[in-house]
Structures are given as structure tokens and as C-alpha cells.
Amino acid sequence: MDRWIQIFTCGGTIDKVYFDAMSEYQVGQPQVQDILQLAKVTIPYQINSLLRKDSLDIDDSDREMIRKAVETCSATRILITHGTDQMADTARCLHGISGKTVVLTGAHSPALFVGSDAQFNIGCALGAVQSLPEGVYIAMNGNVFLGDKAKKNRSQSRFESSDS
Amino acid sequence: MDRWIQIFTCGGTIDKVYFDAMSEYQVGQPQVQDILQLAKVTIPYQINSLLRKDSLDIDDSDREMIRKAVETCSATRILITHGTDQMADTARCLHGISGKTVVLTGAHSPALFVGSDAQFNIGCALGAVQSLPEGVYIAMNGNVFLGDKAKKNRSQSRFESSDS
Amino acid sequence: MDRWIQIFTCGGTIDKVYFDAMSEYQVGQPQVQDILQLAKVTIPYQINSLLRKDSLDIDDSDREMIRKAVETCSATRILITHGTDQMADTARCLHGISGKTVVLTGAHSPALFVGSDAQFNIGCALGAVQSLPEGVYIAMNGNVFLGDKAKKNRSQSRFESSDS
Amino acid sequence: MDRWIQIFTCGGTIDKVYFDAMSEYQVGQPQVQDILQLAKVTIPYQINSLLRKDSLDIDDSDREMIRKAVETCSATRILITHGTDQMADTARCLHGISGKTVVLTGAHSPALFVGSDAQFNIGCALGAVQSLPEGVYIAMNGNVFLGDKAKKNRSQSRFESSDS
């Protein structure tokens, strides 16, 4: 069965939680598992946490590690949750891995916030990763972009085509 | 631009609201628009309400009307929100329309409930409808099924492959 | 310690849930326990379910049973969750029980709905029941009414003073 | 009419929001207005923002300003939203204002988080402030404490009696 999904989590806004005891806000446990369970997802998947960082803090060696994880995992369909600020950079770094469909997603607002886009975005990425041919993609704001054709518009908190 | 999405709404659990003034619970306004706005969806779409029925009440003439709407609309990518109980029947009725990608989805719990699967499912359907070749599909429980290969398992409130 | 709270639940909108397997909507388990746990309530309380009915279906014998439960319980502070349509009738029936502070509350929208008033109303009733002298009160819409001075305005889904 | 409520907001966790554009988390607009509107509160109230600070940053001059606002406002019933870390200190500073009932509340989790205690706590404080004789109180965790008898247990994220 080639339709099982490997999910790699890399931190980012989607996983940010609030710790009252410290009056602060940190990248916490990956939220994707709770989201998939709430939606009673029946397609087989496996989740591995690669990083727990704000995406502003992701560097080239992190990206190399992510690329290696994608190349060496046995799945052909891979969903990656990632901070939004450097998602496009990581997508470019994954370019050219053959035989695999990779979809990156994340959220502009933490999954635990009322009205977060996290549930929607994970759903969108999961629908896309099952349906697309090999390649690297970004699923954000309801749009499935080619991985090297998207950029974050920071002031609008949304992704846009990098051609426009 | 061939990537705009036509969305047809047909009622069902996803759109059920509670009317305190009547102490009852009815199919209300389509929820898909609020869901897409909350997720700041930027891909172009148009929403038309075809039916506002519990899916148990959908009959063959309703299905004919839905088929005609799909055939005659100018879009090549169509997302349909529909009650879960007869979603598979409507999917079968849409079989064989050429040149169009049609994805049906809905929810096991009203969109306005805490913990509803509606946001996730709409996201999943939107990711799939952009990514798939022509044909009819059902996106439920994180699974993108061929339209004639899915059935609802009522006691478990989930969709399964009809081959199993 | 006289500050522990007896909570009696009588059904009503606050406890309505949606059963997908039957495509219907019924009075379910009392929600007040989950609400108190989520708010990490530390004041001691005990919950007993007296009725699980839509308030439209509550009759005089139900009210007699509620009155007896209030009179015979050992607590002096009692919070009652109740459907909104006949809350004022039940409040009147509880008139004249000496030595006890009784506050009725409920919700215009089920506790499990996004944006429900249930959490707020339970909080308001709990704040009032600890603070008021003996008597019967209704805590709805942020207002603490004397039990014989409130009525539901059905078209507006809110409680008003019955003097106005 | 002496039952209108003056609400003063002082920032704190309850008002913390997440700013994606800066990947950070700050004290934002007071949330109490949205909470009161969602609950369709009909008792008259007026909201004024005094401070927009994390409570760790509140100092004695801030507290003097809060005390002056309470003393000089025309209302006899005052609800204050405040960060939890120094709520007990501010309560002590308000001690001895005659002719006024003052209730402080806040939240252990931002109002915009799923499962926040903010709605419940605001409800509890509003029920208490209408019902209590003059004095200063803290309404947290479903408990209405005398203002000089409560302290935050930071590791448990809850308020306790300072006598225990």
C-alpha cells in the first residue's frame, strides 16, 4: 500500500502554546496528531518530530537534516509542518528529490487559538499530498503552490505566488 | 485561469445550526464561506447554494439538479458540500462527466460545534480538487476516495473503502 | 464548611448534543462538569442529574421533584442548570424555601457550540450563588434577577426583567 | 439605577494575542467586550482601558492610578481585568475604598485560546460584583475570595486561599 503518509514536524507558529507558569509562549508539542485524531483521519500515517523551533531560527544545517529525513524515509508521500517565515526556503532546499510527493504546510495562528487556520491547512495539505505527482509543494491559504513558486507576504499573513 | 473553484452547497450536517427561538436544530446558511474566510483562502472561488436539506431527504430529482449544475457550470474544478448519509449516492450519480474534477465533502459534526471536522474536511477537499485529474471523488476522514469506492460506516461515523 | 455548592442539572439547550449516527440532536450528558473542570474550579461542588429534558417538556411533577431535591439536600447554596423556556416557571415554584440560596442558569446555545454562552453563564451563576443571601435567582445574560422578576424574551433569545 | 457596572481593563494574560507578522505574542485589545457581547449581556456596563501590560510589569505607580480610577468613577460596582501574577497585590492596594464593590478577575490562558478560562471567569466576576456588599474581591477558579485572602499558586496555575 503506497498511500500511507509520513508526517515530519518542524515546529513553527502552528505548535506555539502558552505557558502560564512562565508567562510565556513557546513552541510546544506537535499539534498535528490532535488535529488528525479530531478529524478521525483513517488514512495510515506516521508522525516524527524533526525540530521544535520557531521558523526564524531554522538554519541550513536544519534544512539539510530535513532533506535527509525526506530522502531516506520509506514513504513516497510526505507532509511537513513548518513555521511560515522560512517555509519557502525549506521547500527550495527539498527540490529535486525524485519519486516523492512532499507538501509543506503550517499556520499563521497557533493551532490552539480559536479561529486558527491550522486544521484547515493540515486538511488541505493531506488532500494535496495524496493527489499530486512527485514534487515539492506548499499548501497555504487554500492554495497548492509549486514549492519554488510561493513566498510569504508577511504584512498580510498569507502566501502568494512568487511570480506575481 | 483554470484554477478557480466552483463550490456548490447542498446542506447536510455541516450546515446544521441551533435555533433557540424554536428550540430546534435545522439546516442553516452554508458554513463553507465562513470557513474559507477564516483560513484567508486566496484561491479564487464562487459559492452557490443548490439545496438546504438534511441528506436523508435528498432524492433522485435533487441529484439530477446537482448533476446538471456541475455539467453546465463553466468551472473545471468543483467542490460540493453535502450531507454524509447520501454523499456516496450523489457521487455515483455524477459519474462520467468529462473534463471536470469534482470532490464531495461534508462533516460528521456541524461546523459550528467545538471540535467539528468541517474545517479540516473543507481544507482536504480544496487541496484535492486542485490536484486531481478529472473524475469524481469523496474527501472524508482525511482520505480521498474515488467516488464509487466509498461508503459511510454509520455506526463509526466515518467513511471507508467500499471494497473492504 | 458552608461554601460547597450543590449542582442539580435538568437538561435543556445547554446540554444538547448532535448524534451523527441518528442525524439528530438530543439532550445529552450534563456539560457543567466539563465546564467546571476546564475552568479549574477549586471551590468544592457536587453534581447530580435530576432530569434530562428539553425545558418545553418539563411539567409540574418535574418541578415538584426539583423543589424536593433542593429542600432535602444538605447544601445551603444550590446551582441549577435548566432549559431556558421554563426556567422562570421553575424559579417561581422554588419560591419560599428558607435558608437556601438557589441560582438557576442555562444557555441559549448548546455548550458544545462555538461561541456558546454556557461557560459564561455557569461562571456568572457560580459567582452569584456564593455571594447572595437566601432566595431564588436567575443568572442569565450577565444579569442576576430575583427569581420571580425575570422572563425569557423568546424572539430576542434573552432574559429581561418581568417588570418592564 | 445603581446596577450598572464599570469595567476597567489592565492587560494581562487574558488579553494576550499572537502577531504573526512579528512572530510574537503581546498584550492586545481588551477581550472583555467581545466576551460580554458573545454572552449577550444586557446589564449596563462601561469599559475603560487603564493599562495594557503583562502583570509582571505592573508597578506601584500603576496601582496608584488604578486606585484613583476606582475612587473617582461614579459607579459603585467595579469589575477589573488584570494579569494573574500581581492580581493579589493590586487587590491589597484597593483595600479600604468605602461604598464600592470591586471584583478583580483575569485568566490563566488567553481569551482567544481554545479552552480558555476567560469567559467563565468574566461571568463569575460579573455575577459576584452584582451580588456582594462593599469590599474588594478576587474571582478566580470559580472561587470568590476576599481580596486580601487570595494568592496565586504559580506551579498549579490557580488561586488559593492565602490562609491555607
Side-chain angles (χ1 to χ4, degrees), chain D residues 23-47:
Chain D
S23 289
E24 72 179 31
Y25 189 61
Q26 294 180 342
V27 176
Q29 294 284 342
Q31 295 296 316
V32 66
Q33 177 139 29
D34 287 351
I35 291 172
L36 297 176
Q37 285 177 347
L38 199 64
K40 292 190 192 169
V41 167
T42 53
I43 196 166
Y45 59 85
Q46 175 180 319
I47 301 174

PDB file of all heavy atoms in Angstrom, chain D residues 23-47:
ATOM      1  N   SER D  23       5.878  37.369  14.529  1.00  0.00           N
ATOM      2  CA  SER D  23       6.138  36.111  15.222  1.00  0.00           C
ATOM      3  C   SER D  23       6.238  36.331  16.713  1.00  0.00           C
ATOM      4  O   SER D  23       7.079  35.750  17.368  1.00  0.00           O
ATOM      5  CB  SER D  23       7.424  35.433  14.719  1.00  0.00           C
ATOM      6  OG  SER D  23       7.240  34.940  13.422  1.00  0.00           O
ATOM      7  N   GLU D  24       5.362  37.166  17.231  1.00  0.00           N
ATOM      8  CA  GLU D  24       5.372  37.294  18.679  1.00  0.00           C
ATOM      9  C   GLU D  24       4.001  37.521  19.248  1.00  0.00           C
ATOM     10  O   GLU D  24       3.006  37.660  18.537  1.00  0.00           O
ATOM     11  CB  GLU D  24       6.356  38.366  19.145  1.00  0.00           C
ATOM     12  CG  GLU D  24       5.893  39.743  18.851  1.00  0.00           C
ATOM     13  CD  GLU D  24       6.881  40.782  19.354  1.00  0.00           C
ATOM     14  OE1 GLU D  24       8.085  40.515  19.394  1.00  0.00           O
ATOM     15  OE2 GLU D  24       6.434  41.871  19.707  1.00  0.00           O
ATOM     16  N   TYR D  25       4.014  37.548  20.531  1.00  0.00           N
ATOM     17  CA  TYR D  25       2.848  37.392  21.352  1.00  0.00           C
ATOM     18  C   TYR D  25       2.811  38.575  22.305  1.00  0.00           C
ATOM     19  O   TYR D  25       3.768  38.834  23.030  1.00  0.00           O
ATOM     20  CB  TYR D  25       3.114  36.074  22.093  1.00  0.00           C
ATOM     21  CG  TYR D  25       2.010  35.532  22.862  1.00  0.00           C
ATOM     22  CD1 TYR D  25       0.826  35.188  22.253  1.00  0.00           C
ATOM     23  CD2 TYR D  25       2.168  35.350  24.231  1.00  0.00           C
ATOM     24  CE1 TYR D  25      -0.185  34.655  22.997  1.00  0.00           C
ATOM     25  CE2 TYR D  25       1.167  34.812  24.963  1.00  0.00           C
ATOM     26  CZ  TYR D  25      -0.012  34.479  24.350  1.00  0.00           C
ATOM     27  OH  TYR D  25      -0.991  33.949  25.107  1.00  0.00           O
ATOM     28  N   GLN D  26       1.742  39.378  22.268  1.00  0.00           N
ATOM     29  CA  GLN D  26       1.707  40.614  23.050  1.00  0.00           C
ATOM     30  C   GLN D  26       0.343  40.817  23.697  1.00  0.00           C
ATOM     31  O   GLN D  26      -0.629  40.190  23.304  1.00  0.00           O
ATOM     32  CB  GLN D  26       1.971  41.815  22.132  1.00  0.00           C
ATOM     33  CG  GLN D  26       3.360  41.854  21.530  1.00  0.00           C
ATOM     34  CD  GLN D  26       3.559  43.057  20.647  1.00  0.00           C
ATOM     35  OE1 GLN D  26       2.595  43.682  20.218  1.00  0.00           O
ATOM     36  NE2 GLN D  26       4.814  43.380  20.360  1.00  0.00           N
ATOM     37  N   VAL D  27       0.314  41.729  24.665  1.00  0.00           N
ATOM     38  CA  VAL D  27      -0.961  42.153  25.226  1.00  0.00           C
ATOM     39  C   VAL D  27      -1.677  43.007  24.180  1.00  0.00           C
ATOM     40  O   VAL D  27      -1.129  43.998  23.710  1.00  0.00           O
ATOM     41  CB  VAL D  27      -0.760  42.952  26.524  1.00  0.00           C
ATOM     42  CG1 VAL D  27      -2.094  43.467  27.047  1.00  0.00           C
ATOM     43  CG2 VAL D  27      -0.081  42.082  27.579  1.00  0.00           C
ATOM     44  N   GLY D  28      -2.881  42.575  23.785  1.00  0.00           N
ATOM     45  CA  GLY D  28      -3.603  43.264  22.720  1.00  0.00           C
ATOM     46  C   GLY D  28      -4.805  44.024  23.261  1.00  0.00           C
ATOM     47  O   GLY D  28      -4.835  44.436  24.416  1.00  0.00           O
ATOM     48  N   GLN D  29      -5.790  44.207  22.389  1.00  0.00           N
ATOM     49  CA  GLN D  29      -7.041  44.861  22.779  1.00  0.00           C
ATOM     50  C   GLN D  29      -7.694  44.102  23.931  1.00  0.00           C
ATOM     51  O   GLN D  29      -7.638  42.884  23.969  1.00  0.00           O
ATOM     52  CB  GLN D  29      -8.011  44.835  21.597  1.00  0.00           C
ATOM     53  CG  GLN D  29      -7.575  45.650  20.410  1.00  0.00           C
ATOM     54  CD  GLN D  29      -7.765  47.126  20.622  1.00  0.00           C
ATOM     55  OE1 GLN D  29      -8.513  47.525  21.509  1.00  0.00           O
ATOM     56  NE2 GLN D  29      -7.080  47.934  19.847  1.00  0.00           N
ATOM     57  N   PRO D  30      -8.379  44.805  24.829  1.00  0.00           N
ATOM     58  CA  PRO D  30      -9.136  44.104  25.872  1.00  0.00           C
ATOM     59  C   PRO D  30     -10.164  43.142  25.259  1.00  0.00           C
ATOM     60  O   PRO D  30     -10.877  43.493  24.333  1.00  0.00           O
ATOM     61  CB  PRO D  30      -9.842  45.244  26.618  1.00  0.00           C
ATOM     62  CG  PRO D  30      -9.018  46.451  26.359  1.00  0.00           C
ATOM     63  CD  PRO D  30      -8.452  46.261  24.973  1.00  0.00           C
ATOM     64  N   GLN D  31     -10.205  41.918  25.768  1.00  0.00           N
ATOM     65  CA  GLN D  31     -11.110  40.899  25.247  1.00  0.00           C
ATOM     66  C   GLN D  31     -12.483  40.940  25.903  1.00  0.00           C
ATOM     67  O   GLN D  31     -13.414  40.296  25.452  1.00  0.00           O
ATOM     68  CB  GLN D  31     -10.494  39.509  25.479  1.00  0.00           C
ATOM     69  CG  GLN D  31      -9.208  39.291  24.700  1.00  0.00           C
ATOM     70  CD  GLN D  31      -9.416  39.319  23.219  1.00  0.00           C
ATOM     71  OE1 GLN D  31     -10.361  38.728  22.718  1.00  0.00           O
ATOM     72  NE2 GLN D  31      -8.575  40.046  22.506  1.00  0.00           N
ATOM     73  N   VAL D  32     -12.586  41.678  27.018  1.00  0.00           N
ATOM     74  CA  VAL D  32     -13.812  41.586  27.806  1.00  0.00           C
ATOM     75  C   VAL D  32     -15.037  42.030  27.011  1.00  0.00           C
ATOM     76  O   VAL D  32     -16.112  41.451  27.140  1.00  0.00           O
ATOM     77  CB  VAL D  32     -13.665  42.368  29.142  1.00  0.00           C
ATOM     78  CG1 VAL D  32     -13.525  43.848  28.923  1.00  0.00           C
ATOM     79  CG2 VAL D  32     -14.803  42.055  30.079  1.00  0.00           C
ATOM     80  N   GLN D  33     -14.877  42.988  26.129  1.00  0.00           N
ATOM     81  CA  GLN D  33     -16.031  43.452  25.355  1.00  0.00           C
ATOM     82  C   GLN D  33     -16.578  42.342  24.453  1.00  0.00           C
ATOM     83  O   GLN D  33     -17.791  42.099  24.418  1.00  0.00           O
ATOM     84  CB  GLN D  33     -15.635  44.664  24.509  1.00  0.00           C
ATOM     85  CG  GLN D  33     -16.766  45.151  23.621  1.00  0.00           C
ATOM     86  CD  GLN D  33     -16.853  46.661  23.575  1.00  0.00           C
ATOM     87  OE1 GLN D  33     -15.852  47.372  23.720  1.00  0.00           O
ATOM     88  NE2 GLN D  33     -18.050  47.173  23.400  1.00  0.00           N
ATOM     89  N   ASP D  34     -15.702  41.650  23.757  1.00  0.00           N
ATOM     90  CA  ASP D  34     -16.165  40.549  22.909  1.00  0.00           C
ATOM     91  C   ASP D  34     -16.851  39.472  23.743  1.00  0.00           C
ATOM     92  O   ASP D  34     -17.847  38.886  23.318  1.00  0.00           O
ATOM     93  CB  ASP D  34     -14.989  39.917  22.148  1.00  0.00           C
ATOM     94  CG  ASP D  34     -14.487  40.816  21.031  1.00  0.00           C
ATOM     95  OD1 ASP D  34     -15.144  41.839  20.734  1.00  0.00           O
ATOM     96  OD2 ASP D  34     -13.437  40.503  20.443  1.00  0.00           O
ATOM     97  N   ILE D  35     -16.294  39.198  24.913  1.00  0.00           N
ATOM     98  CA  ILE D  35     -16.870  38.162  25.772  1.00  0.00           C
ATOM     99  C   ILE D  35     -18.277  38.553  26.221  1.00  0.00           C
ATOM    100  O   ILE D  35     -19.205  37.745  26.191  1.00  0.00           O
ATOM    101  CB  ILE D  35     -15.939  37.920  26.982  1.00  0.00           C
ATOM    102  CG1 ILE D  35     -14.636  37.252  26.505  1.00  0.00           C
ATOM    103  CG2 ILE D  35     -16.629  37.078  28.051  1.00  0.00           C
ATOM    104  CD1 ILE D  35     -13.557  37.139  27.580  1.00  0.00           C
ATOM    105  N   LEU D  36     -18.458  39.813  26.590  1.00  0.00           N
ATOM    106  CA  LEU D  36     -19.772  40.272  27.042  1.00  0.00           C
ATOM    107  C   LEU D  36     -20.777  40.292  25.899  1.00  0.00           C
ATOM    108  O   LEU D  36     -21.943  39.947  26.067  1.00  0.00           O
ATOM    109  CB  LEU D  36     -19.652  41.662  27.674  1.00  0.00           C
ATOM    110  CG  LEU D  36     -18.785  41.741  28.934  1.00  0.00           C
ATOM    111  CD1 LEU D  36     -18.661  43.194  29.401  1.00  0.00           C
ATOM    112  CD2 LEU D  36     -19.337  40.882  30.064  1.00  0.00           C
ATOM    113  N   GLN D  37     -20.300  40.654  24.715  1.00  0.00           N
ATOM    114  CA  GLN D  37     -21.221  40.673  23.571  1.00  0.00           C
ATOM    115  C   GLN D  37     -21.632  39.263  23.173  1.00  0.00           C
ATOM    116  O   GLN D  37     -22.785  39.007  22.846  1.00  0.00           O
ATOM    117  CB  GLN D  37     -20.572  41.394  22.388  1.00  0.00           C
ATOM    118  CG  GLN D  37     -20.553  42.903  22.594  1.00  0.00           C
ATOM    119  CD  GLN D  37     -19.856  43.658  21.484  1.00  0.00           C
ATOM    120  OE1 GLN D  37     -19.167  43.075  20.652  1.00  0.00           O
ATOM    121  NE2 GLN D  37     -20.017  44.969  21.475  1.00  0.00           N
ATOM    122  N   LEU D  38     -20.678  38.337  23.190  1.00  0.00           N
ATOM    123  CA  LEU D  38     -20.996  36.952  22.832  1.00  0.00           C
ATOM    124  C   LEU D  38     -22.041  36.378  23.775  1.00  0.00           C
ATOM    125  O   LEU D  38     -22.920  35.620  23.362  1.00  0.00           O
ATOM    126  CB  LEU D  38     -19.716  36.110  22.905  1.00  0.00           C
ATOM    127  CG  LEU D  38     -19.730  34.784  22.159  1.00  0.00           C
ATOM    128  CD1 LEU D  38     -19.863  35.017  20.663  1.00  0.00           C
ATOM    129  CD2 LEU D  38     -18.444  34.023  22.444  1.00  0.00           C
ATOM    130  N   ALA D  39     -21.941  36.739  25.049  1.00  0.00           N
ATOM    131  CA  ALA D  39     -22.907  36.238  26.040  1.00  0.00           C
ATOM    132  C   ALA D  39     -24.185  37.074  26.051  1.00  0.00           C
ATOM    133  O   ALA D  39     -25.061  36.860  26.870  1.00  0.00           O
ATOM    134  CB  ALA D  39     -22.262  36.225  27.423  1.00  0.00           C
ATOM    135  N   LYS D  40     -24.286  38.024  25.126  1.00  0.00           N
ATOM    136  CA  LYS D  40     -25.462  38.907  25.035  1.00  0.00           C
ATOM    137  C   LYS D  40     -25.822  39.503  26.389  1.00  0.00           C
ATOM    138  O   LYS D  40     -26.985  39.449  26.830  1.00  0.00           O
ATOM    139  CB  LYS D  40     -26.671  38.150  24.469  1.00  0.00           C
ATOM    140  CG  LYS D  40     -26.538  37.750  23.002  1.00  0.00           C
ATOM    141  CD  LYS D  40     -27.883  37.233  22.504  1.00  0.00           C
ATOM    142  CE  LYS D  40     -27.758  36.556  21.149  1.00  0.00           C
ATOM    143  NZ  LYS D  40     -28.972  35.840  20.774  1.00  0.00           N
ATOM    144  N   VAL D  41     -24.819  40.073  27.035  1.00  0.00           N
ATOM    145  CA  VAL D  41     -25.025  40.651  28.359  1.00  0.00           C
ATOM    146  C   VAL D  41     -25.889  41.898  28.249  1.00  0.00           C
ATOM    147  O   VAL D  41     -25.620  42.785  27.436  1.00  0.00           O
ATOM    148  CB  VAL D  41     -23.667  40.975  29.016  1.00  0.00           C
ATOM    149  CG1 VAL D  41     -23.843  41.861  30.241  1.00  0.00           C
ATOM    150  CG2 VAL D  41     -22.976  39.674  29.393  1.00  0.00           C
ATOM    151  N   THR D  42     -26.947  41.951  29.060  1.00  0.00           N
ATOM    152  CA  THR D  42     -27.888  43.071  28.988  1.00  0.00           C
ATOM    153  C   THR D  42     -27.765  44.026  30.163  1.00  0.00           C
ATOM    154  O   THR D  42     -28.368  45.091  30.151  1.00  0.00           O
ATOM    155  CB  THR D  42     -29.340  42.556  28.923  1.00  0.00           C
ATOM    156  OG1 THR D  42     -29.541  41.664  30.019  1.00  0.00           O
ATOM    157  CG2 THR D  42     -29.594  41.832  27.615  1.00  0.00           C
ATOM    158  N   ILE D  43     -27.019  43.656  31.186  1.00  0.00           N
ATOM    159  CA  ILE D  43     -26.832  44.606  32.281  1.00  0.00           C
ATOM    160  C   ILE D  43     -25.946  45.746  31.762  1.00  0.00           C
ATOM    161  O   ILE D  43     -24.995  45.519  31.022  1.00  0.00           O
ATOM    162  CB  ILE D  43     -26.220  43.895  33.518  1.00  0.00           C
ATOM    163  CG1 ILE D  43     -26.404  44.767  34.754  1.00  0.00           C
ATOM    164  CG2 ILE D  43     -24.758  43.533  33.322  1.00  0.00           C
ATOM    165  CD1 ILE D  43     -26.146  44.012  36.051  1.00  0.00           C
ATOM    166  N   PRO D  44     -26.265  46.997  32.126  1.00  0.00           N
ATOM    167  CA  PRO D  44     -25.480  48.108  31.570  1.00  0.00           C
ATOM    168  C   PRO D  44     -24.043  48.104  32.097  1.00  0.00           C
ATOM    169  O   PRO D  44     -23.805  47.828  33.269  1.00  0.00           O
ATOM    170  CB  PRO D  44     -26.212  49.362  32.081  1.00  0.00           C
ATOM    171  CG  PRO D  44     -27.504  48.901  32.654  1.00  0.00           C
ATOM    172  CD  PRO D  44     -27.386  47.448  32.962  1.00  0.00           C
ATOM    173  N   TYR D  45     -23.106  48.393  31.203  1.00  0.00           N
ATOM    174  CA  TYR D  45     -21.706  48.455  31.625  1.00  0.00           C
ATOM    175  C   TYR D  45     -20.959  49.450  30.757  1.00  0.00           C
ATOM    176  O   TYR D  45     -21.412  49.811  29.657  1.00  0.00           O
ATOM    177  CB  TYR D  45     -21.025  47.086  31.540  1.00  0.00           C
ATOM    178  CG  TYR D  45     -21.024  46.466  30.164  1.00  0.00           C
ATOM    179  CD1 TYR D  45     -20.040  46.775  29.225  1.00  0.00           C
ATOM    180  CD2 TYR D  45     -22.018  45.578  29.791  1.00  0.00           C
ATOM    181  CE1 TYR D  45     -20.044  46.221  27.970  1.00  0.00           C
ATOM    182  CE2 TYR D  45     -22.037  45.012  28.522  1.00  0.00           C
ATOM    183  CZ  TYR D  45     -21.050  45.335  27.622  1.00  0.00           C
ATOM    184  OH  TYR D  45     -21.069  44.788  26.368  1.00  0.00           O
ATOM    185  N   GLN D  46     -19.817  49.879  31.268  1.00  0.00           N
ATOM    186  CA  GLN D  46     -18.931  50.763  30.503  1.00  0.00           C
ATOM    187  C   GLN D  46     -17.523  50.231  30.683  1.00  0.00           C
ATOM    188  O   GLN D  46     -17.133  49.845  31.786  1.00  0.00           O
ATOM    189  CB  GLN D  46     -19.040  52.173  31.064  1.00  0.00           C
ATOM    190  CG  GLN D  46     -18.073  53.158  30.423  1.00  0.00           C
ATOM    191  CD  GLN D  46     -18.222  54.552  31.014  1.00  0.00           C
ATOM    192  OE1 GLN D  46     -19.331  55.026  31.267  1.00  0.00           O
ATOM    193  NE2 GLN D  46     -17.097  55.212  31.250  1.00  0.00           N
ATOM    194  N   ILE D  47     -16.751  50.172  29.597  1.00  0.00           N
ATOM    195  CA  ILE D  47     -15.398  49.622  29.659  1.00  0.00           C
ATOM    196  C   ILE D  47     -14.386  50.728  29.434  1.00  0.00           C
ATOM    197  O   ILE D  47     -14.499  51.493  28.473  1.00  0.00           O
ATOM    198  CB  ILE D  47     -15.200  48.527  28.581  1.00  0.00           C
ATOM    199  CG1 ILE D  47     -16.211  47.388  28.779  1.00  0.00           C
ATOM    200  CG2 ILE D  47     -13.766  47.990  28.597  1.00  0.00           C
ATOM    201  CD1 ILE D  47     -16.187  46.346  27.672  1.00  0.00           C
TER     202      ILE D  47
END
